[in-house]
Amino acid sequence: MAAIEICADCSVRDLALCGSLTDHELEALNALGRHQRLSKGETVIWAGDESIICANLLSGVLKLSASTADGREQIVGLHYPADFIGRPYADAADFTVTALTDAQLCVFPRKQFEQVLEDHVRMERLLLQRTFAALDEARGRMLMLGRKSAEEKIAGFLLDMADRAGSSACRATAEGPITFDLPLTRGQIADVLGLTIETVSRQMTKLKASGVIGLPGGRAVTLRDRAALEERAEPA
Amino acid sequence: MAAIEICADCSVRDLALCGSLTDHELEALNALGRHQRLSKGETVIWAGDESIICANLLSGVLKLSASTADGREQIVGLHYPADFIGRPYADAADFTVTALTDAQLCVFPRKQFEQVLEDHVRMERLLLQRTFAALDEARGRMLMLGRKSAEEKIAGFLLDMADRAGSSACRATAEGPITFDLPLTRGQIADVLGLTIETVSRQMTKLKASGVIGLPGGRAVTLRDRAALEERAEPA
DNA sequence: CGCCCTCTTGATTTCGATCAATGCGCGTGG
DNA sequence: CCACGCGCATTGATCGAAATCAAGAGGGCG
């Protein structure tokens, strides 16, 4: 019955990998999983550490990051609710996972999670599909990092964030000017885009000055002219 | 018997995904696969096209690349013999696959390949593991593209290529100074590292001038001082 | 031989990094 | 309640690494 207690009211019940399992199958996972709360800034997985856990993200936003020996950081991925976290089949983690907001995870011991994958082919296939999607996304970001200008990076990033905000639970005022909150600080945006905080700030100011976006204050952004933003993200 | 004919003398028989299959199971794949030769410069998969095929690379080197609307290119991956090519479970290809050298593929229709994956769980698991490894590599490259200097990029790239050359079938003269041929032109190296051809050329010249590497001519490179190269790739 | 392709080298420009100062919102503690 | 401090953001001045523009050199092949 514990199964029902934990999974039945799970906020991401049919968005996460687990959605591929029947109620009956869920019991196996349920016995393994435990909930974990993270505070903003807290790190769950450190690059280089033994790869102990896998998890589903229930709420909040996490960053996946890599660093050079002398401390420069690059965010290589962002995780949102229902995303899968962790690296099955590896003995050490290559990347650090840190909470950008307060967050909740459903955590499984890695080895046991691997066993569940083996026993539930449908779930393994779903994970394979997600992993391919993540790979495509990472490669798309490689193009961004290697070949796009600061302005293109910022414009593209804002469009991405707007799309995510529109589809999920951020405040979006119908059509026309859409306003939403970025879940990232300027510094974190810089770490996603391979820029510095000053360049991010300047480009945002420039977009605001040309009337393409508005910056009502705090983390909020208003899209005033989506077409213009798209043009700046991807010059013909 | 066709199975035996094609797969038995396959040059990557137990390095590729197929290595997970028994001789008996191989027959299924064998019935689907056909060999294809590619000439240097030829493209097998175009970004945006319908995703028709999957393949194993038998010989040669392929690039996986993305482009901006106005023609800037970023190479997002390189494929070597025994690597898996293609994007199962997607209806369109996101990236372009092009031969950097003459090459040979063992090609399967995508849909039918997906069916084989479903029927052979061991192979699917192996593909999942490879996909995770590819994802880790892509993310590592994101750090390189976003945060490393031209010198660090070149030094790291040469070390990677030397390691690959050392393990496989390029000419390597024992220990000490190792010499090998790059399978890429300067322009292609630039497209991997997110640089221009001139910057690649200058950095190579600089490394040669400081005695860290030698450039005997053509595509050849000699590592004269690996430790120094490592220091330049990853400054403490 | 001459052409094409790749690579190298030089001069100059430019974009983004770096250095530096200030502003602003917010929570905490006096 | 206000003052202070702290983290985050903006803005300005300057610097520098890599891009761009431009010219030529080597090398292989028809």
Side-chain angles (χ1 to χ4, degrees), chain A residues 149-150 196 198-199 202:
Chain A
S149 70
T196 60
E198 296 95 328
T199 299
R202 276 187 248 271

Side-chain angles (χ1 to χ4, degrees), chain B residues 40 61 78 80 100-101 153-166 170-171 178-190 192-193 200-201 204 207 213-223 229:
Chain B
K40 184 198 274 209
V61 183
L78 293 173
Y80 298 93
L100 296 178
T101 65
K153 287 175 178 181
I154 294 285
F157 176 79
L158 290 177
L159 286 168
D160 285 352
M161 296 309 279
D163 288 349
R164 177 166 302 279
C170 297
R171 66 185 148 92
I178 289 190
T179 297
F180 60 95
D181 277 321
L182 297 171
L184 307 181
T185 68
R186 297 289 191 264
Q188 287 157 353
I189 296 172
V192 170
L193 302 180
V200 171
S201 186
M204 301 269 275
L207 286 174
I213 63 170
L215 296 173
R219 301 273 159 85
V221 176
T222 304
L223 298 203
L229 200 55

Side-chain angles (χ1 to χ4, degrees), chain A residues 13 22 39-40 43 67 79-81 84 91 113 115 127 176 181 203 216:
Chain A
R13 170 70 173 89
T22 62
S39 306
K40 184 197 273 209
T43 292
S67 299
H79 288 299
Y80 299 93
F84 174 78
D91 289 330
F113 183 80
Q115 187 58 52
L127 180 58
D181 277 320
Q203 292 295 333

Side-chain angles (χ1 to χ4, degrees), chain A residues 5-50:
Chain A
E5 281 178 39
I6 296 194
C7 294
D9 64 345
C10 175
S11 53
V12 297
R13 170 70 173 89
D14 37 53
L15 293 171
L17 281 183
C18 322
S20 64
L21 301 183
T22 62
D23 288 355
H24 173 259
E25 291 171 315
L26 259 186
E27 289 179 24
L29 253 197
N30 201 75
L32 296 174
R34 68 173 213 284
H35 282 198
Q36 183 175 351
R37 286 179 176 284
L38 291 177
S39 306
K40 184 197 273 209
E42 204 174 331
T43 292
V44 245
I45 299 175
W46 294 93
D49 276 10
E50 207 184 336

Side-chain angles (χ1 to χ4, degrees), chain A residues 73-146:
Chain A
E73 179 180 350
Q74 176 67 46
I75 295 181
V76 299
L78 293 173
H79 288 299
Y80 299 93
D83 281 359
F84 174 78
I85 315 292
R87 174 59 161 92
Y89 307 116
D91 289 330
D94 274 5
F95 303 99
T96 297
V97 180
T98 306
L100 295 179
T101 63
D102 290 352
Q104 286 177 284
L105 294 174
C106 185
V107 179
F108 311 96
R110 175 175 68 89
K111 287 289 186 191
Q112 292 171 53
F113 183 80
E114 285 173 12
Q115 187 58 52
V116 173
L117 281 183
E118 303 207 0
D119 295 342
H120 300 280
V121 182
R122 244 172 313 120
M123 190 159 122
E124 189 177 43
R125 183 156 311 129
L126 220 53
L127 180 58
L128 177 59
Q129 290 172 17
R130 279 183 185 232
T131 307
F132 267 120
L135 182 55
D136 282 353
E137 202 217 307
R139 285 171 168 165
R141 290 235 201 131
M142 288 174 66
L143 174 62
M144 181 275 286
L145 289 168

